[in-house]
Amino acid sequence: MIRTSFNDGWQVRPKVNPFSELSGQAVPFSPVTLPHDAMIGQPRTAPGGDVALDGAAGAYFPGGVFEYRKVFAVPEEYRGKRVFLEFEGVHRDATVYINGDYAGQRPYGYSHFHIDADRFLRFGQDNEIRVEARAHRDSRWYTGAGIYRDTWLLVGEAVRIVPDGLQVTTPDIDGSRAVVEVVTLVANDSIEVRTFPVVTEIRDASGGVVASDVSSVTVLPGEPATVRQRLYVPSPGLWSPESPTLYSCRVVLGDVDKETISFGIRSLQLDPEHGLRINGETVKLRGSCVHHDNGVLGAATYGRAEERRVRILKEAGFNAIRSSHQPLSKPMLDACDRLGMLVVDETFDVWTIGKSDFDYSLSFPEWWERDVEAMVAKDVNHPSVIMYSIGNEIPETGSPFGAAWGRRLAEKVRSLDPTRYVTNAVNGMLAVRSELAVLQEQWLEQAAKDGVGINTLMAEADDAMNTVNSSELVTERTAESFAVLDVAGMNYAEGRYALDRDLFPNRIILGTETFPTHIDGNWDLVKQYGHVIGDFTWTGWDYLGEVGIGRPQYRTEDDGPLQPHNAPYPYLLADCGDIDITGYRRPASYYREIVLGLRAEPYIAVRRPEHHGRIWAGSPWAWSHTVSSWTWPGYDGKPITVEVYSDADEVELVGNGTSLGRRPVGPKHRFRTEFDIVHTPGELVAVAYRDGVETSRTSLRSADGPVRLTAEAEREVVGATGGDLAYVTLNLTDGQGTRHTAADRPVRVEVSGAAELIGFGSAAPSTEERFDAAERHTYEGRALAVLRPAGVGKISLTATAPGCDPVAVVVTAE
């Protein structure tokens, strides 16, 4: 079918009750180009007001019902053809109307779906489509709202290749050739029996044909036909994270239709001794959990934003992504294929038991099969996808009925795609929640006997979670749920890794969600045990909503109980992630890189001196309150703590040429050490030693002199169409380019030329500033502007800030 972007020419407004509109209440539409997040521009409000809020989970954004409409011409020549509309994602409870008539719906906000449109169309005339979307207390994180992913118009003949009807697998590979099986589903909506030739070609990255086949297919009226062809690619280039080689497969159905997809040739193997093998080589998954929002863009899913995120995650040392907790977007899967990022794609955060007031559990019993089908259809041709996850922290996994549900989902996935593995991210603590009160009472009694206070017990909640997950109760209650899987996904349960080697010798384990503060111990277990195939940290990239779970917290001995799991308004971000929402790597990212053996140089992180001497009380998702900066005005001569990360034997800290001490570091010391020193501006150097010999060094320098504003575009040339974006980083620096992390101020931007500003913000975890404004404060000396090209030509961004000279950057859209 001919596929055309359907993203332009839309309008949106908050939905109005039609009876209210008849009585005179008018709410105007505003023009938008898709993808679009209708929620990110809404005013956030502290709980307790008149607006119904999603609260801390949704970053204090309001819920709502939003109405989109578009008028589009349907030419007379479309009469007699098949016309479909494809939505890659609408959050949530999408209802579609064409020319005022109900055309279809989709409750789940993360499934792509098709609307059979031709029966409703007026040929040779203008037509109107309306889409309603609802979002309100239906998630544990920020979802956004509206048509937040791409839309497409599909036009084809009565006999055609079905959308998502071309699937390519590589069931048999050796050094001399690869068997490529191409399955094409052909539909016939005419009243005639039709026979067509089917010509299939496989091309390599240079465009050369490496295999081809010609077959024929007879398609009966109303009865789809499956064409199955086996082709043989000689001396195949194998897809892997290190070498993401891609091929294309083009199928031509007579003179009526054609379809082209990309795919990779690679093999997967799994066993408890060798773990996961890709093309015969054992691969340990260095994993990042990711939510779906794109930071300053909200939930809007642009191809360039998804590719940028994958690229930065890979540069930071990750080789795998687990979608959390919904299917990944098509553009992100495309990026993972191109860049060599492995994927564990996840279906649902809930099954039959809800976690939010109005979440997908209300629709799951009726819709789960169609949503599983949609995910697999989306993923099946992507070599990056190695595993499907059928759920996340599903409470039902501890019951026989829950295990039965797990079996249904796992077998459904296998029936659709037997070439990949199935997991489920199980949290044993939730699985035994009904007995948790008894266990908690036992802990408190034991803690009282041991003289342990409630604050200490809460601060060690990560150990308590591991204790529960390793208990005999969890072992018994989750045994069947794990048995239906190929890989036992475990959230916060590294205590089971060694235990299960003996209890369940055929069980293969994946740490599907782990604390970032445990990466050194977890990675040691991953390396030690063959049956443990990887670790996925929560989380690789900071996100909107679930606010403040990783925020820094302090207390004194006289303080009462610790603060709640989530932070109060105006907190905006989870403040948890190796990489902040602008794409900037935080200290935890470099620590992880060192633990994983991917970085030789030491790394310096400095604790904020205003909290020196206070007792740390952050959650296990919270990294130390550090910045990689030696610029601390107002703290000269005052005490300050410097953390140094390294895999060397020792590190020496040198300030302005004077040694400030030498300390052991490396694996036996959790790859880190601390120096309590006095802050003196200048240069701070960390020198790493192995066997007494210097191996590497790194340094920080204090920013000095007047503050300068700089603007730098990530790319000088961008595409004028196709979802491309221009990213511009704004920094406050001194004359030598050292960032002024303590000189934050408002920055205003103006855009001229063929583009619009679609997102502007910083990584500030708590703020009332908006992402759709032209002025934002920097955070730690940094902000990010995102521009969407609106045509071919020059794009200019000018930025100003108090006390700084204006700066400008030019990007060309081609």
Side-chain angles (χ1 to χ4, degrees):
M1 302 188 78
I2 298 174
R3 174 181 292 264
T4 307
S5 174
F6 204 59
N7 286 342
D8 294 333
W10 289 85
Q11 298 176 310
V12 67
R13 69 174 181 178
K15 179 175 169 55
V16 177
N17 182 309
F19 296 100
S20 300
E21 215 164 22
L22 286 173
S23 64
Q25 179 183 351
V27 177
F29 281 91
S30 300
V32 294
T33 299
L34 305 182
H36 177 253
D37 180 359
M39 188 181 291
I40 198 68
Q42 301 297 310
R44 298 165 67 229
T45 310
D50 295 332
V51 181
L53 296 169
D54 281 352
Y60 303 107
F61 280 92
V65 183
F66 303 94
E67 181 181 20
Y68 290 78
R69 74 178 182 188
K70 173 175 175 166
V71 175
F72 61 106
V74 178
E76 181 64 34
E77 53 262 35
Y78 282 7
R79 189 183 297 274
K81 297 184 183 293
R82 298 310 321 274
V83 182
F84 295 89
L85 296 172
E86 180 178 299
F87 294 86
E88 292 189 7
V90 181
H91 198 89
R92 176 180 164 312
D93 277 322
T95 310
V96 181
Y97 302 88
I98 299 176
N99 295 323
D101 293 316
Y102 169 84
Q105 67 185 104
R106 195 70 174 215
Y108 197 37
Y110 303 102
S111 285
H112 78 287
F113 62 96
H114 297 94
I115 296 295
D116 188 343
D118 44 20
R119 71 189 69 180
F120 302 102
L121 297 177
R122 300 166 183 163
F123 299 97
Q125 303 179 43
D126 283 344
N127 291 252
E128 183 189 64
I129 181 171
R130 288 192 299 113
V131 180
E132 295 178 4
R134 297 158 179 80
H136 173 57
R137 295 182 184 172
D138 57 13
S139 179
R140 299 184 300 115
W141 56 85
Y142 176 83
T143 61
I147 312 175
Y148 71 102
R149 290 179 176 172
D150 287 323
T151 58
W152 303 90
L153 176 69
L154 280 60
V155 180
E157 302 296 334
V159 181
R160 68 200 182 280
I161 299 172
V162 174
D164 298 327
L166 176 56
Q167 297 186 358
V168 179
T169 57
T170 57
D172 186 2
I173 305 168
D174 61 30
S176 62
R177 95 294 183 259
V179 177
V180 178
E181 187 169 271
V182 180
V183 177
T184 307
L185 185 62
V186 181
N188 181 3
D189 290 335
S190 74
I191 60 173
E192 301 178 66
V193 176
R194 306 292 298 275
T195 300
F196 291 98
V198 179
V199 179
T200 299
E201 291 181 339
I202 295 175
R203 297 176 181 266
D204 60 19
S206 65
V209 177
V210 295
S212 63
D213 185 68
V214 180
S215 181
S216 62
V217 60
T218 297
V219 199
L220 304 180
E223 183 179 325
T226 299
V227 182
R228 192 176 302 271
Q229 297 166 291
R230 285 171 66 90
L231 292 82
Y232 302 88
V233 175
S235 303
L238 302 184
W239 187 97
S240 70
E242 295 74 30
S243 180
T245 303
L246 291 174
Y247 290 83
S248 66
C249 177
R250 184 172 188 259
V251 176
V252 179
L253 178 67
D255 58 355
V256 296
D257 205 359
K258 57 188 175 182
E259 188 70 58
T260 301
I261 59 97
S262 65
F263 71 99
I265 298 174
R266 57 110 179 93
S267 65
L268 299 177
Q269 295 169 282
L270 195 65
D271 68 76
E273 180 181 355
H274 301 96
L276 172 68
R277 284 183 286 178
I278 299 177
N279 304 324
E281 299 292 329
T282 296
V283 175
K284 295 291 189 178
L285 301 180
R286 308 187 301 269
S288 162
C289 297
V290 293
H291 269 318
H292 75 289
D293 73 75
N294 272 303
V296 302
L297 301 176
T301 302
Y302 296 91
R304 176 60 60 180
E306 301 287 69
E307 181 174 57
R308 177 178 183 264
R309 191 150 47 134
V310 173
R311 173 178 57 79
I312 292 172
L313 285 166
K314 187 162 187 182
E315 290 171 352
F318 294 105
N319 68 357
I321 286 174
R322 171 186 168 230
S323 63
S324 309
H325 306 286
Q326 68 286 312
L328 284 181
S329 70
K330 291 184 177 183
M332 180 167 272
L333 288 177
D334 289 338
C336 290
D337 288 347
R338 290 192 300 268
L339 299 177
M341 182 70 80
L342 302 170
V343 172
V344 178
D345 208 7
E346 195 154 83
T347 51
F348 312 117
D349 187 51
V350 292
W351 294 348
T352 61
I353 296 176
K355 297 177 181 176
S356 305
D357 292 348
F358 307 107
D359 63 21
Y360 178 71
S361 65
L362 301 173
S363 303
F364 174 86
E366 179 182 353
W367 284 88
W368 72 270
E369 285 192 90
R370 281 168 282 187
D371 290 320
V372 168
E373 290 166 355
M375 182 185 72
V376 174
K378 169 181 63 71
D379 290 6
V380 71
N381 294 318
H382 290 279
S384 56
V385 179
I386 59 172
M387 204 176 306
Y388 299 110
S389 170
I390 58 174
N392 171 69
E393 296 188 336
I394 303 298
E396 295 97 307
T397 52
S399 75
F401 284 100
W405 270 112
R407 193 178 302 277
R408 289 188 193 103
L409 270 79
E411 292 306 314
K412 178 67 177 181
V413 169
R414 292 182 181 116
S415 72
L416 298 168
D417 182 4
T419 70
R420 292 173 171 88
Y421 303 117
V422 179
T423 188
N424 187 2
V426 175
N427 187 325
M429 179 176 282
L430 281 179
V432 297
R433 68 197 183 286
S434 58
E435 288 88 352
L436 203 55
V438 176
L439 290 174
Q440 186 176 16
E441 188 174 330
Q442 293 173 354
W443 297 336
L444 293 174
E445 290 177 359
Q446 187 61 47
K449 293 177 182 177
D450 296 340
V452 177
I454 184 63
N455 269 347
T456 302
L457 196 64
M458 291 179 68
E460 296 172 353
D462 50 342
D463 293 330
M465 190 178 296
N466 233 322
T467 300
V468 173
N469 275 316
S470 303
S471 67
E472 290 184 12
L473 179 62
V474 169
T475 299
E476 177 185 349
R477 292 282 295 274
T478 60
E480 185 179 359
S481 285
F482 280 135
V484 307
L485 308 170
D486 303 308
V487 177
M490 296 186 180
N491 287 9
Y492 310 108
E494 59 266 29
R496 294 209 67 93
Y497 295 179
L499 180 68
D500 283 1
R501 183 184 57 170
D502 299 323
L503 291 178
F504 304 96
N506 295 315
R507 180 177 286 181
I508 297 167
I509 294 174
L510 177 62
T512 39
E513 192 169 315
T514 64
F515 294 117
T517 47
H518 290 194
I519 180 56
D520 56 322
N522 288 349
W523 194 246
D524 189 56
L525 293 172
V526 172
K527 291 188 297 181
Q528 180 180 353
Y529 296 116
H531 71 290
V532 181
I533 64 174
D535 179 274
F536 282 80
T537 188
W538 191 267
T539 180
W541 196 286
D542 199 11
Y543 56 97
L544 307 177
E546 202 174 6
V547 295
I549 68 162
R551 70 193 185 279
Q553 295 185 75
Y554 300 90
R555 65 178 178 86
T556 67
E557 293 293 353
D558 297 329
D559 285 343
L562 296 180
Q563 293 298 310
H565 179 70
N566 292 123
Y569 179 85
Y571 240 91
L572 174 69
L573 307 179
D575 202 7
C576 170
D578 283 24
I579 300 165
D580 72 26
I581 64 164
T582 69
Y584 186 75
R585 293 178 63 185
R586 309 204 301 185
S589 174
Y590 293 94
Y591 176 81
R592 182 180 309 277
E593 196 176 19
I594 289 168
V595 169
L596 297 176
L598 303 175
R599 177 185 170 94
E601 297 80 13
Y603 184 81
I604 304 172
V606 182
R607 293 185 191 168
R608 293 181 178 274
E610 63 266 34
H611 300 295
H612 190 272
R614 300 181 67 189
I615 299 172
W616 176 253
S619 76
W621 291 281
W623 198 252
S624 58
H625 202 182
T626 52
V627 184
S628 186
S629 172
W630 198 233
T631 304
W632 301 100
Y635 290 93
D636 296 355
K638 295 183 179 179
I640 194 167
T641 300
V642 176
E643 298 179 2
V644 182
Y645 314 145
S646 175
D647 64 353
D649 299 333
E650 295 178 296
V651 290
E652 181 181 21
L653 197 63
V654 180
N656 298 330
T658 301
S659 178
L660 302 175
R662 189 160 162 168
R663 298 188 183 279
V665 68
K668 294 181 179 179
H669 300 273
R670 301 196 64 189
F671 298 93
R672 63 199 300 169
T673 189
E674 300 174 5
F675 295 84
D676 282 313
I677 61 175
V678 171
H679 180 254
T680 304
E683 185 180 42
L684 192 67
V685 180
V687 184
Y689 296 91
R690 197 180 300 276
D691 296 326
V693 177
E694 179 182 335
T695 57
S696 57
R697 61 172 58 201
T698 191
S699 65
L700 294 177
R701 193 180 65 81
S702 301
D704 184 36
V707 178
R708 299 175 58 214
L709 176 64
T710 66
E712 182 179 3
E714 286 191 357
R715 295 176 299 139
E716 294 181 356
V717 179
V718 299
T721 58
D724 207 352
L725 302 173
Y727 281 82
V728 180
T729 300
L730 291 307
N731 276 310
L732 301 174
T733 73
D734 66 6
Q736 287 71 47
T738 301
R739 195 150 47 101
H740 264 291
T741 53
D744 287 320
R745 60 198 61 194
V747 175
R748 173 168 287 276
V749 297
E750 294 183 4
V751 177
S752 60
E756 62 174 322
L757 181 69
I758 61 169
F760 182 36
S762 73
S766 181
T767 179
E768 291 189 286
E769 293 182 311
R770 297 167 61 105
F771 292 124
D772 59 354
E775 182 174 294
R776 284 293 301 258
H777 279 78
T778 58
Y779 178 71
E780 295 177 354
R782 194 172 184 274
L784 180 71
V786 186
L787 288 65
R788 177 172 57 197
V792 174
K794 299 290 184 181
I795 302 168
S796 177
L797 179 144
T798 302
T800 57
C804 302
D805 293 333
V807 293
V809 64
V810 176
V811 175
T812 302
E814 295 182 346

